[in-house]
Amino acid sequence: MTVWDDAMRAALAEAARGVAWGDVPVGAVVLDETGEIIARAANQRVLDHDPLAHAEMLALRRAAEARQSGRLDGCTIVVTLEPCAMCAGAIAQARLARLVFGAFDGKAGAVTSLFDVLRDTRLPHRPEVVTGILADDSTDLLQTFFAGRRAARQS
């Protein structure tokens, strides 16, 4: 058990909500410096007809609104799946202290798997990166979702 498990469980609960509207189950929560959740979101690309409505982007926007600032200094974002390039860039721009994620994304991951956007030494701000938190739970949720989609296409 890690200090991030409870926050990841909250992100997993968000991810599961996205399945209801047919979106890939990715969830995110943003924690303030005390560890309190100040924002949460699931993917809403299908629901909103918006290619930018990734869980991370929505959670960052909600956290910025809660803080009344575009800078989220000291905050941590906890995400069920390794962020893509767009979301990694937004995390860097928001000046988050830390990114915590569960499953690695070999197809689009831009923090470890395909690219290492957040630890590029050319960036002026590089958040701490913590990986693999409840990764099996995140992976199981994703695999179940995609298995269901494949089964629906075959029937």
Side-chain angles (χ1 to χ4, degrees), residues 23 42-45 48 50-58 86:
D23 219 321
N43 270 358
Q44 289 185 211
R45 295 173 314 154
D48 294 349
D50 181 356
L52 306 180
H54 289 205
E56 300 95 311
M57 301 296 282
L58 297 170
M86 174 182 69

Side-chain angles (χ1 to χ4, degrees), residues 93-143:
Q93 290 298 315
R95 306 274 185 175
L96 287 153
R98 181 176 307 100
L99 161 67
V100 176
F101 72 84
F104 291 88
D105 184 352
K107 293 182 179 179
V111 179
T112 299
S113 297
L114 298 180
F115 308 104
D116 198 352
V117 171
L118 294 179
R119 292 177 283 208
D120 189 315
T121 57
R122 295 169 292 183
L123 290 177
H125 177 76
R126 291 178 302 280
E128 175 187 357
V129 176
V130 179
T131 66
I133 304 300
L134 300 181
D136 290 343
D137 295 347
S138 296
T139 300
D140 290 347
L141 188 59
L142 289 160
Q143 287 177 340

Side-chain angles (χ1 to χ4, degrees), residues 4 29-33 72 74-78 96-100:
W4 304 113
V29 297
V30 177
L31 312 174
D32 68 11
E33 299 87 345
L72 299 174
C75 291
T76 298
I77 188 166
V78 179
L96 287 153
R98 181 176 307 100
L99 161 67
V100 176

